Amino acid sequence: MKLYVNVLEARKLKHEKLGANPIDAYVKLRTRKHRSKTGVIRGKTNPVWNEELVLRIDDLKEELQVILVVRSSGARESEALGQAVVPVWMVAEAENQTLPTTWFPLQPLSTSTQTHICGNDLQWEILIAISLYSRSNSDSTLSSSPVPSDADSREVVCFESPGRSPYENTDSVSEEASSGAEEKKPIKRFTGKLVRRILNKNKEVKSNSAGTAILQSDESSDNGSVSEEPLANFNFEKALQTMQETNQENGMPDNLQGGILLDKQYLTSCENLNALLFAPNSQLMKELTELQGTTNLDEGAWRLEFGENVCLKRTVTFTKAATKLVRAVKVTEVQTYLCAGENSYAVLKRVSAPDVPYGNCFDVSLLYKIFPGEPLHSGKESSHLVISYNINILRSTVLKGMIEGGVRQGLRENYDQFAELLARKVEGIASESPLSEKKQILASISEKKQSNWKQALSYFLNFTVVSALSVGLYIAFHIFLSVHCGRHGLEFYGLDLPDSVGEVITTALLILQSLRVYNMISHFMHAKLQKGSHFGKEVHNDGWLLTVALIEGSGIASASGTRFSDPYVTFTCNSKNLRSSVQLQSRDPQWNEVVEFDTPEEPPSLLDMEVFDFAGPCEQALSLGHAEINLLKHTPSDLEDLWIPLQGKLARFSQSKLHLRIFLETTKAAQSTRKYLRKVENELGRKVHLQPPHRSSTFQKLFKLPPEEFLVSDFSCCLKRKMLLQGRVFASARVIGFYANIFGHKSKFIFIWEEIYDIQVTPPSLASVGSPSLVFILHEGRGLDAMRYSKSQDEEGRLKFHFQPFGSFSDASRTVMVLWKAKTLGAKQPRR
């Protein structure tokens, strides 16, 4: 093996013995058996050699000594000013077996030499580049070419000199060395602590021209060649530990805004889960590659990068398998550790695929967060994995919506496979069942409900009651102390008339106060008796169960404007009405009550609510606001904690709103579905078969419906507007939707049955090619998001949608009519 050493220059050569005299300097190189030296540069404080020296190396355990020798110009006696020691193994493990052009600080050879340092400040430095050439490993991927002599063709990595701040700017190579060369690249430096670690301790870190440290296995063969096996776990863990020690203040980042792909707990430690996902040569990555048909997987080495914060980074490339629409493309992932704290990790993936259609317009960010899970009763360790994503649009394009939709669908499909594979490797922890979670929430709500005694105390504790009671007690005490003085004027036995005007006024005030108190007591008793008979009672029927927890209200309007209102809420779902209790004299009422709707056959789709002001048992209640909730347009997590703004003049003026928690569940779903289909069969007069699971699943994905929504019927049709649009109609127990895909351009819309005002049949005509059509007329103000698909609008502003079925018109029309009437007959019509 041969060691090529480029000796470029030295700087800041000052010595007390030499004083201000010009300095002659040269460099000596030593290994265990071989010697070499440069020529002498005369009269320069910053000498430049630009010489290449070659030394023979017999063992990688040898060390290269670089000794700088100086003397006064004209003098014969010279002195070794300082030396730098470079282990040969460090060169062998470097990229391409080449150490980049580096400023090495010179250490004094002895304490006597150190006493003559100018200002007692060690500041001598020498710039060298080193390469190792071995014929025995010429077939390896490591470069076998000697070091070029041009110093400016390299990026400079500066090691910190003792006594110098690690953030201080480094001087560039002298003008003599850089004459005629291109402008230098930015100079980066490592801290002195890292230098000592590299030179004296850790043999698994090597530096490259980008200011990074590359982790490799420290195993070498006997002939000195570098092992090309993947990263050892020991080195990966050491790198994470180094990052943790350096970036102690870095916290866990927030989830990305695009959404959550995976949120699950696993029965393993955070350290093990992190190693399974990101350690070099991970078996999980290889199995996922085989599962998804990915080829040409190339996992780059993890690299430590030093800047404001130390981060661990690597690049992974692979070829994504071809699909029906997209050919096989190359994908690049840049993985970066943002956080590597104690039992918590955050890894950001930046994924780009320029070869896909419009691939230069976007890339995708994926954030993996690993942190400790909830404590387990068994005492075992658990970890929580959350994967979020965001689609970054790099260039403005009219196809932004199409790009985001396609990427979102692809991500969810890929990470469904990832979650299944990960579940085979690590045991998942089943989250608490929704039923038990619901019971806990409802129990906590019931505990917060005010008792009748507390409500009565807060209602009657006012000036009217207190003043009437005080006057009554005062008069009673006066009567007790008074002495009977006989009859006066027109009084007779048993009749005691007031003897003065003051007594008359006092008696009148007492009667008025007593009457007001009586009215308040009567109003309170009637309000408490108005509570619905079904409110707060649990139902146990099999089928669909809608549970609504009415928590509180905010800014409830007052009808009179001179007093607070006495609000109560009525709920309507599937033609059933339930009402809450009356909260007396409150602008921000606290109900904390629960109501349950049982619908054994028909799943609920619309919940209507209206707030009234209680005026008495025989008087008309005044509406203070209303609202409705489309249960299909909200996710279960949204329904679990929901603030609903009320509509209406008074409600909008007061910004009234209600706080609800809603739970929709089904018991014995298969039986309730069969009951519903039997009901439809009786109306149709023919057999209705349950659709296969994959068809219902496709229907749910198309319209983003909950998993309990089942498909009843579907048929091909033509949507009639200015231009005919061929597609397909899907009908279920709660909704009817239309979907079309013409050369990749997708059109879809969906209505709940309650939004349809009427369904009419138009007779055959020449325009319809002798085939009748179905006309869906929506309620006023409904279907505005699908207005562009409507053909016309009537005088009252109701939209009309025309469908012409391709198959049997009678079957399609009868099925649609039966489903619509089953949902709307007897149900309360939606509000405008």
Side-chain angles (χ1 to χ4, degrees):
M1 293 182 291
K2 293 183 180 180
L3 194 66
Y4 290 79
V5 183
N6 265 1
V7 182
L8 303 176
E9 66 169 313
R11 63 184 177 187
K12 302 181 181 178
L13 302 185
K14 298 179 181 179
H15 197 274
E16 185 177 356
K17 287 185 177 181
L18 305 177
N21 297 328
I23 295 178
D24 300 340
Y26 65 96
V27 177
K28 294 194 299 185
L29 304 179
R30 291 181 183 175
T31 59
R32 183 182 303 173
K33 298 180 179 179
H34 304 280
R35 304 286 186 272
S36 184
K37 67 178 181 178
T38 66
V40 178
I41 301 299
R42 304 183 184 276
K44 298 288 185 181
T45 306
N46 298 324
V48 177
W49 290 277
N50 280 338
E51 293 187 24
E52 184 181 68
L53 305 178
V54 182
L55 297 173
R56 183 176 296 278
I57 299 297
D58 299 322
D59 190 355
L60 290 178
K61 296 181 180 180
E62 295 185 30
E63 292 181 341
L64 171 67
Q65 288 181 294
V66 182
I67 303 172
L68 179 62
V69 182
V70 298
R71 65 186 179 193
S72 298
S73 296
R76 295 183 178 180
E77 189 174 334
S78 60
E79 181 177 4
L81 196 63
Q83 71 171 350
V85 180
V86 181
V88 177
W89 62 260
M90 183 177 177
V91 183
E93 291 187 359
E95 187 177 8
N96 296 330
Q97 290 189 326
T98 300
L99 279 184
T101 307
T102 306
W103 283 105
F104 284 86
L106 296 175
Q107 305 292 339
L109 295 176
S110 63
T111 56
S112 61
T113 305
Q114 187 174 5
T115 59
H116 297 292
I117 300 172
C118 185
N120 292 326
D121 184 15
L122 183 61
Q123 54 185 349
W124 309 315
E125 292 176 324
I126 188 168
L127 183 65
I128 59 175
I130 309 173
S131 290
L132 182 65
Y133 175 70
S134 174
R135 293 185 179 179
S136 61
N137 52 354
S138 59
D139 294 333
S140 70
T141 58
L142 300 175
S143 174
S144 60
S145 60
V147 179
S149 59
D150 186 3
D152 296 325
S153 64
R154 304 177 178 273
E155 184 174 354
V156 180
V157 179
C158 299
F159 290 78
E160 178 193 0
S161 299
R164 178 182 299 168
S165 170
Y167 305 103
E168 180 180 335
N169 292 333
T170 310
D171 296 334
S172 61
V173 183
S174 65
E175 295 180 359
E176 292 86 344
S178 60
S179 58
E182 299 177 357
E183 184 179 356
K184 296 181 180 296
K185 297 181 180 179
I187 298 175
K188 301 181 181 179
R189 62 168 66 239
F190 295 140
T191 61
K193 178 180 179 180
L194 181 62
V195 174
R196 290 191 296 271
R197 181 181 299 177
I198 291 175
L199 295 180
N200 301 325
K201 296 180 181 179
N202 294 336
K203 295 189 177 183
E204 61 267 20
V205 180
K206 67 175 183 176
S207 61
N208 70 357
S209 59
T212 63
I214 305 175
L215 304 178
Q216 283 192 334
S217 174
D218 53 28
E219 298 178 358
S220 302
S221 60
D222 295 338
N223 60 3
S225 62
V226 180
S227 171
E228 296 186 14
E229 294 185 2
L231 281 173
N233 289 334
F234 172 79
N235 297 336
F236 180 65
E237 295 171 359
K238 281 289 185 180
L240 291 176
Q241 184 178 359
T242 301
M243 185 177 172
Q244 177 183 347
E245 294 173 355
T246 310
N247 304 336
Q248 294 182 354
E249 298 181 357
N250 287 3
M252 186 68 71
D254 297 331
N255 292 331
L256 299 182
Q257 299 178 354
I260 304 296
L261 295 172
L262 180 63
D263 186 353
K264 192 171 179 60
Q265 296 189 50
Y266 294 93
L267 195 62
T268 185
S269 64
C270 297
E271 184 178 359
N272 292 339
L273 183 59
N274 175 68
L276 178 64
L277 296 178
F278 299 108
N281 209 16
S282 170
Q283 188 65 25
L284 179 70
M285 180 62 71
K286 294 181 179 179
E287 294 184 11
L288 183 63
T289 300
E290 296 176 0
L291 180 64
Q292 297 180 346
T294 303
T295 57
N296 301 329
L297 176 64
D298 182 16
E299 296 183 76
W302 284 105
R303 299 170 179 263
L304 276 173
E305 293 195 354
F306 300 85
E308 295 181 1
N309 292 317
V310 176
C311 67
L312 197 59
K313 182 180 291 187
R314 76 170 175 179
T315 302
V316 178
T317 59
F318 55 88
T319 302
K320 185 69 177 175
T323 63
K324 293 181 179 179
L325 299 177
V326 181
R327 61 183 176 85
V329 294
K330 181 179 179 181
V331 180
T332 302
E333 286 185 2
V334 179
Q335 304 176 2
T336 306
Y337 269 89
L338 303 181
C339 171
E342 185 176 359
N343 289 332
S344 61
Y345 305 91
V347 180
L348 179 66
K349 285 186 178 182
R350 198 70 180 260
V351 186
S352 60
D355 296 335
V356 301
Y358 301 98
N360 57 347
C361 296
F362 72 96
D363 63 16
V364 180
S365 298
L366 297 163
L367 180 61
Y368 289 66
K369 291 167 55 176
I370 304 173
F371 49 91
E374 297 180 359
L376 302 177
H377 297 294
S378 60
K380 296 182 180 180
E381 285 188 280
S382 66
S383 56
H384 196 161
L385 173 63
V386 178
I387 304 177
S388 57
Y389 74 95
N390 191 40
I391 303 171
N392 310 307
I393 302 298
L394 307 179
R395 298 182 184 177
S396 60
T397 173
V398 295
L399 299 176
K400 176 182 176 182
M402 185 185 72
I403 291 173
E404 291 179 341
V407 172
R408 195 176 293 113
Q409 180 180 357
L411 284 174
R412 295 198 180 278
E413 292 176 356
N414 288 340
Y415 276 87
D416 286 345
Q417 296 177 341
F418 171 82
E420 292 177 3
L421 180 60
L422 185 59
R424 301 175 197 166
K425 296 289 185 181
V426 186
E427 181 182 354
I429 301 176
S431 59
E432 196 171 24
S433 65
L435 184 61
S436 60
E437 183 181 357
K438 168 191 165 184
K439 288 183 177 180
Q440 292 180 3
I441 293 174
L442 297 182
S444 64
I445 291 173
S446 300
E447 291 175 358
K448 297 178 182 178
K449 185 178 179 180
Q450 253 188 341
S451 65
N452 290 334
W453 288 107
K454 290 184 179 180
Q455 294 180 18
L457 182 62
S458 61
Y459 179 67
F460 289 111
L461 193 61
N462 54 44
F463 176 76
T464 300
V465 177
V466 172
S467 61
L469 186 61
S470 301
V471 172
L473 291 174
Y474 179 80
I475 293 176
F477 191 63
H478 168 72
I479 294 174
F480 177 76
L481 296 178
S482 297
V483 179
H484 183 67
C485 300
R487 292 183 290 274
H488 300 282
L490 298 178
E491 296 178 345
F492 55 85
Y493 183 78
L495 178 64
D496 188 9
L497 299 175
D499 297 332
S500 64
V501 176
E503 290 183 358
V504 173
I505 295 174
T506 303
T507 304
L509 291 176
L510 182 60
I511 293 173
L512 291 175
Q513 288 289 80
S514 301
L515 184 60
R516 293 188 64 182
V517 172
Y518 171 78
N519 289 335
M520 290 182 65
I521 295 175
S522 175
H523 187 76
F524 179 82
M525 297 303 296
H526 284 109
K528 290 303 171 186
L529 293 174
Q530 287 299 315
K531 184 175 181 180
S533 59
H534 293 283
F535 201 96
K537 293 186 177 181
E538 293 187 0
V539 293
H540 303 284
N541 294 341
D542 293 331
W544 296 93
L545 180 62
L546 177 66
T547 305
V548 182
L550 176 61
I551 309 298
E552 59 183 324
S554 174
I556 302 300
S558 174
S560 63
T562 58
R563 64 178 181 85
F564 290 120
S565 59
D566 302 328
Y568 67 93
V569 185
T570 61
F571 295 92
T572 304
C573 182
N574 282 12
S575 72
K576 294 185 178 181
N577 295 283
L578 296 177
R579 58 183 290 175
S580 72
S581 62
V582 179
Q583 296 295 310
L584 298 170
Q585 296 296 301
S586 177
R587 178 176 171 81
D588 299 320
Q590 301 287 327
W591 278 284
N592 291 312
E593 296 175 350
V594 179
V595 60
E596 291 184 336
F597 291 92
D598 61 320
T599 54
E601 298 176 358
E602 300 177 10
S605 56
L606 192 68
L607 176 66
D608 187 89
M609 63 199 74
E610 189 165 6
V611 182
F612 292 96
D613 185 10
F614 180 75
C618 301
E619 297 185 20
Q620 182 71 28
L622 180 65
S623 176
L624 303 178
H626 60 87
E628 68 178 23
I629 300 176
N630 188 338
L631 301 177
L632 295 173
K633 292 185 177 180
H634 294 81
T635 63
S637 59
D638 292 338
L639 293 173
E640 287 181 6
D641 195 354
L642 195 63
W643 279 94
I644 297 295
L646 299 179
Q647 303 299 320
K649 293 181 179 179
L650 289 175
R652 283 195 293 266
F653 179 77
S654 302
Q655 297 183 349
S656 306
K657 53 186 177 179
L658 296 178
H659 186 195
L660 305 174
R661 305 195 75 168
I662 302 174
F663 303 90
L664 179 62
E665 59 186 354
T666 178
T667 57
K668 299 183 180 180
Q671 295 183 10
S672 61
T673 301
R674 283 195 291 270
K675 287 180 181 179
Y676 178 80
L677 293 178
R678 250 185 254 120
K679 178 181 177 181
V680 174
E681 288 174 355
N682 294 335
E683 296 292 335
L684 284 175
R686 62 179 178 85
K687 184 71 174 177
V688 178
H689 297 282
L690 183 65
Q691 298 290 338
H694 71 274
R695 291 181 65 85
S696 292
S697 177
T698 303
F699 168 60
Q700 294 162 8
K701 289 181 179 179
L702 281 178
F703 298 102
K704 299 180 180 179
L705 297 172
E708 65 267 12
E709 195 68 20
F710 57 93
L711 181 64
V712 176
S713 177
D714 62 316
F715 55 88
S716 298
C717 70
C718 180
L719 177 64
K720 299 172 67 176
R721 47 177 188 166
K722 291 182 179 180
M723 291 186 64
L724 299 180
L725 182 61
Q726 180 180 346
R728 198 166 188 84
V729 168
F730 298 84
S732 71
R734 294 189 286 181
V735 299
I736 183 168
F738 174 79
Y739 176 79
N741 187 348
I742 306 298
F743 301 111
H745 181 72
K746 299 177 183 179
S747 303
K748 63 179 179 180
F749 56 87
I750 189 171
F751 309 127
I752 59 174
W753 291 114
E754 289 88 342
E755 292 179 329
I756 300 177
Y757 172 75
D758 191 15
I759 299 178
Q760 300 176 352
V761 177
T762 59
S765 63
L766 184 61
S768 61
V769 198
S771 176
S773 301
L774 286 172
V775 180
F776 290 71
I777 305 175
L778 304 187
H779 285 280
E780 183 182 353
R782 300 295 169 145
L784 297 180
D785 53 346
M787 181 183 292
R788 64 183 182 276
Y789 299 109
S790 65
K791 185 176 182 180
S792 60
Q793 191 172 2
D794 63 9
E795 299 82 3
E796 297 183 10
R798 295 187 288 236
L799 299 178
K800 295 183 177 181
F801 295 81
H802 293 245
F803 297 94
Q804 182 178 348
F806 289 151
S808 173
F809 177 81
S810 59
D811 289 346
S813 61
R814 288 182 62 189
T815 302
V816 168
M817 295 294 288
V818 167
L819 294 176
W820 173 58
K821 290 180 179 180
K823 196 66 178 176
T824 57
L825 286 181
K828 186 176 180 179
Q829 298 300 324
R831 298 179 178 274
R832 296 181 179 179

